[in-house]
Amino acid sequence: MSFSSSTRHSPHREPRSRTTGAYRLVRTPPGSVEPPLLDAGQRAVVDHADGPLLVLAGPGTGKTTTLVESVAARVDRGADPARILVLTFSRKAAVELRDRMAARLGAARGPQATTFHSYCYALVRAHQDADLFADPLRLLSGPEQDVTVRDLLAGQLDLEKEGLAHVRWPDELRACLTTRGFADEVRAVLARSRELGLAPDALAAFARRTGRPDWSAAAQFLAEYLDVLDAQGVLDYAELVHRAVLLAERPEVSARLAEAYDAVYVDEYQDTDPAQVRLLHALAGNPVSGGRKRGRGAHAGAASRTGGAHAGMEDGGRGGGRGHGRDTGGGRTLVAFGDPDQSIYTFRGADVNGILEFPDTFRRADGTPAPVGVLTTSRRSGSELLAATRLLTRRMPLTRLPADTVRAHRELHAVREGGRVETYTYPTASTELDNIADLLRRAHLEDGVPWREMAVLVRAGGRSLPAVRRALTSAGVPLEVDGDDLPLRHEPAVAPLLTALRTVATAALHPDRADEEEGTAAAPPWLDTETALTLLTSPLGSMDAADLRRLGRALRDEERAAGVTVPAPSDELLARALAEPERLVTHDPAYAHGAQRLGALLRKAREHLEGGGTAEEALWALWNGTPWPGRLERAALRGGAGGRNAD
């Protein structure tokens, strides 16, 4: 689709003559997509008509293709695309599914494909009390939730001193309240509690039965945490799903949801947590029988303040409990794709029992367990790689699924030969990274393997990617990190800006202390030598080791000329020069240009903050003082991998 730069229909601008080369919007007609050739396992899934179905699908077995073809076949049989819901776990996967289904169906309106959290937000928003909430609910991001939990924990000690604390942490844990690690543990407890449907009272009762004073304190903290979120009108992601589940389990809401969809599809079912399974049970499972027991929330009617449900809700909005009745009636259409061998997100609350218990949890209309299908052809991995995976999966029993389907799931048929698996052990992490870089370089230089055909997979992106990136870059291995895997604060173009902003913010918060060191040779208290060298060698300063040595020698010579017999080390002089950029004016730009520019940027950003400006304005001043805006614009226009990174 081309884009228009014409504004001749705008009521706020004068009409202008059309020039040669002007753009105009042209709708691209949907292209026809030929149906793929399906194997027997895929065809059995596509031909499934009604009722629940679990599909075991390993990597490269055509799972997404089968899902799309199953939806297309259902539409061809007369189903309304608007009455088909597809749920997955990432925005990227949801976009891909929407695009592929729209292309396959060739229709202007395809089925709804969305993430669990997006669907839950829409459900909660639809039942939000308009009188109490004029603005939409806001979701806490992960970093925002970290800050909230850490602030509340840090405030516990002050509240105890004033006799106002409502949370009593065990004495052995009180020293940990201000540590980041303890805050992470508490946040995990809060999330797991809500995923299991535990209200603060239910968690406290469980703590009393087990004799765990730390869990009792966590229950009290959970009530306080929810009160704070209520007051702010925000929700975290675990609480969002919990509120959506409570809504969906209400009989009248569950009935409306059942009428809204003829079929529900779930991708990557092995990543579901107990709360998401309960949501699916309300959406497409069996009707929930009576006798459900739920714990009460910390305060009745809290949902009316958070938009989670109506004020008169049975659970008090924030309550909930585990356990729900099972009824053999129902058996609505729910098709779930998953692989229990790929259940790797336990640390996020995913429970492999969800997929293992699917046949019993979602029974057919006659009360029998749901059938289990299997995709048995691997189109991605060679036979040698599949043989290696079989050696591992033999040690991972799946006792709650039919033995014949598990055997077929793990004994995949490869469409091509080849593949190789090698295992290495290393004494240190740095040795491992050095050898990875060596293997990649040898594959490229000796075997002629293109860089684009290599990949490095890591277990935890936030902790591992920065070290891998540094090691490969220093070894001369070009790499491109998936933007979804690298936190924004670790991006090479962002990290120096945040470091510079933190530095000038420290100086602006303590202006008197910053001025005390003016005129001395020591590094200023708000700019230590390590930070100064990091900024000088970053893209903000663009200085290399040779420039640093030349500027350091020049600053020491300047000190001697001023009568200082033993000048301070050059790194301290460099830090002082950045704090007082006027000292750099007389030096040769051939080696001092980067420091001169960086010093001026820091001074300008500091003046913004000291003059009452916001952090955003100071950051904007830093950004505009770099050559990056122009470079990124040119890179984006060139397209390709560099253009994607620039975007």
Side-chain angles (χ1 to χ4, degrees):
M1 177 183 287
S2 58
F3 296 87
S4 175
S5 61
S6 172
T7 58
R8 51 195 179 90
H9 295 295
S10 172
H12 305 292
R13 301 188 183 182
E14 293 294 330
R16 67 180 183 183
S17 60
R18 206 168 163 182
T19 60
T20 304
Y23 294 97
R24 61 189 180 89
L25 290 173
V26 177
R27 182 178 295 278
T28 303
S32 60
V33 177
E34 293 295 330
L37 182 62
L38 304 178
D39 58 34
Q42 292 175 305
R43 176 52 58 187
V45 175
V46 171
D47 292 340
H48 176 74
D50 299 306
L53 174 66
L54 173 63
V55 183
L56 300 182
T61 55
K63 174 191 59 178
T64 305
T65 298
T66 306
L67 191 156
V68 172
E69 289 302 310
S70 179
V71 171
R74 192 170 296 276
V75 173
D76 289 341
R77 293 194 292 264
D80 183 358
R83 296 179 58 81
I84 298 176
L85 174 65
V86 181
L87 294 172
T88 186
F89 284 87
S90 70
R91 289 188 295 269
K92 182 178 180 181
V95 171
E96 180 185 1
L97 283 170
R98 282 197 295 269
D99 291 345
R100 291 184 62 170
M101 288 188 295
R104 178 65 180 85
L105 295 173
R109 183 182 182 186
Q112 179 185 1
T114 184
T115 65
F116 271 93
H117 292 106
S118 178
Y119 181 82
C120 290
Y121 182 83
L123 181 62
V124 172
R125 188 77 175 96
H127 293 80
Q128 189 176 357
D129 194 330
D131 295 333
L132 296 178
F133 282 90
D135 299 324
L137 285 169
R138 189 175 71 85
L139 289 178
L140 281 179
S141 64
E144 287 176 323
Q145 188 184 12
D146 283 339
V147 171
T148 301
V149 172
R150 284 157 58 187
D151 286 347
L152 289 176
L153 287 173
Q156 297 295 320
L157 298 177
D158 295 333
L159 291 175
E160 284 187 5
K161 294 177 182 178
E162 299 176 5
L164 300 176
H166 298 287
V167 182
R168 175 63 184 177
W169 292 98
D171 293 339
E172 61 270 19
L173 294 179
R174 295 176 64 194
C176 306
L177 294 182
T178 56
T179 64
R180 186 185 187 97
F182 185 74
D184 291 341
E185 293 293 332
V186 171
R187 179 186 173 189
V189 170
L190 302 184
R192 300 298 87 80
S193 299
R194 298 314 259 172
E195 288 162 2
L196 294 172
L198 295 177
D201 290 351
L203 181 58
F206 183 73
R208 287 192 296 270
R209 291 196 303 270
T210 56
R212 293 289 300 266
D214 52 345
W215 288 359
S216 178
Q220 298 168 356
F221 184 82
L222 174 59
E224 181 175 305
Y225 171 77
L226 292 176
D227 282 339
V228 171
L229 297 194
D230 290 345
Q232 297 175 350
V234 297
L235 292 175
D236 61 33
Y237 282 90
E239 184 67 13
L240 170 67
V241 179
H242 178 74
R243 301 287 173 91
V245 169
L246 295 182
L247 270 172
E249 288 179 341
R250 293 174 60 186
E252 66 276 14
V253 177
S254 180
R256 288 199 298 269
L257 293 177
E259 295 173 356
Y261 303 110
D262 294 328
V264 177
Y265 289 81
V266 183
D267 193 15
E268 306 292 355
Y269 189 80
Q270 75 278 354
D271 293 335
T272 54
D273 59 41
Q276 292 162 343
V277 172
R278 290 173 61 197
L279 177 65
L280 290 172
H281 204 279
L283 271 174
N286 306 314
V288 179
S289 65
R292 181 190 304 269
K293 295 182 180 180
R294 294 173 179 156
R296 288 188 55 81
H299 301 283
S304 66
R305 293 186 284 120
T306 58
H310 296 295
M313 188 173 176
E314 166 191 4
D315 305 90
R318 300 191 326 194
R322 297 193 63 186
H324 46 74
R326 177 173 293 161
D327 194 319
T328 58
R332 298 192 289 270
T333 301
L334 171 65
V335 182
F337 293 79
D339 180 4
D341 295 332
Q342 295 186 66
S343 181
I344 60 174
Y345 290 115
T346 304
F347 65 98
R348 294 182 182 174
D351 188 355
V352 70
N353 292 309
I355 190 171
L356 297 180
E357 297 174 355
F358 182 95
D360 287 329
T361 303
F362 300 94
R363 291 175 171 260
R364 290 187 284 196
D366 59 2
T368 59
V372 181
V374 188
L375 303 184
T376 58
T377 303
S378 175
R379 298 166 179 81
R380 182 183 306 163
S381 303
S383 58
E384 295 297 326
L385 182 58
L386 290 179
T389 61
R390 280 196 291 270
L391 293 176
L392 296 176
T393 55
R394 286 173 185 169
R395 305 181 182 183
M396 300 158 49
L398 299 177
T399 56
R400 278 169 284 179
L401 293 175
D404 55 339
T405 58
V406 172
R407 190 179 306 109
H409 167 62
R410 288 178 167 174
E411 295 180 357
L412 299 178
H413 304 292
V415 298
R416 61 185 179 88
E417 299 295 327
R420 186 177 65 188
V421 178
E422 297 179 1
T423 304
Y424 300 88
T425 59
Y426 303 96
T428 63
S430 60
T431 307
E432 178 186 12
L433 294 176
D434 291 341
N435 192 56
I436 291 174
D438 181 68
L439 290 172
L440 296 174
R441 285 175 56 84
R442 288 181 180 275
H444 179 69
L445 299 176
E446 297 178 2
D447 301 333
V449 180
W451 295 117
R452 65 179 177 273
E453 295 183 5
M454 305 181 194
V456 178
L457 305 181
V458 300
R459 178 65 179 84
R463 294 191 298 268
S464 303
L465 281 177
V468 173
R469 189 174 203 163
R470 287 193 299 268
L472 297 186
T473 301
S474 61
V477 177
L479 75 158
E480 178 182 349
V481 179
D482 190 339
D484 294 335
D485 291 333
L486 189 66
L488 183 62
R489 65 183 183 275
H490 290 159
E491 284 284 353
V494 176
L497 289 171
L498 295 180
T499 300
L501 180 61
R502 189 180 304 112
T503 300
V504 297
T506 302
L509 286 173
H510 307 284
D512 296 336
R513 188 181 170 205
D515 294 336
E516 287 176 1
E517 301 293 335
E518 296 289 343
T520 67
W526 55 274
L527 180 60
D528 59 83
T529 57
E530 183 179 354
T531 301
L533 294 177
T534 299
L535 291 174
L536 286 169
T537 55
S538 74
L540 282 175
S542 302
M543 296 183 69
D544 55 23
D547 291 337
L548 291 176
R549 285 195 299 270
R550 293 181 65 185
L551 181 57
R553 283 197 299 266
L555 291 172
R556 286 174 62 87
D557 292 341
E558 187 178 72
E559 289 288 299
R560 292 190 186 94
V564 179
T565 307
V566 182
S570 59
D571 54 356
E572 292 187 6
L573 294 177
L574 288 170
R576 171 52 56 190
L578 281 182
E580 302 173 23
E582 58 272 7
R583 298 180 57 178
L584 296 169
V585 175
T586 59
H587 290 274
D588 188 354
Y591 59 82
H593 174 69
Q596 293 168 351
R597 182 183 63 197
L598 177 58
L601 283 176
L602 296 178
R603 172 65 62 81
K604 185 176 181 180
R606 178 179 167 186
E607 291 173 351
H608 268 289
L609 294 177
E610 292 177 346
T614 64
E616 289 80 3
E617 292 171 343
L619 188 61
W620 187 246
L622 290 169
W623 169 257
N624 284 329
T626 69
W628 291 336
R631 292 178 183 175
L632 291 177
E633 181 180 2
R634 292 190 295 271
L637 291 175
R638 285 195 299 268
R644 289 195 300 273
N645 288 338
D647 289 335

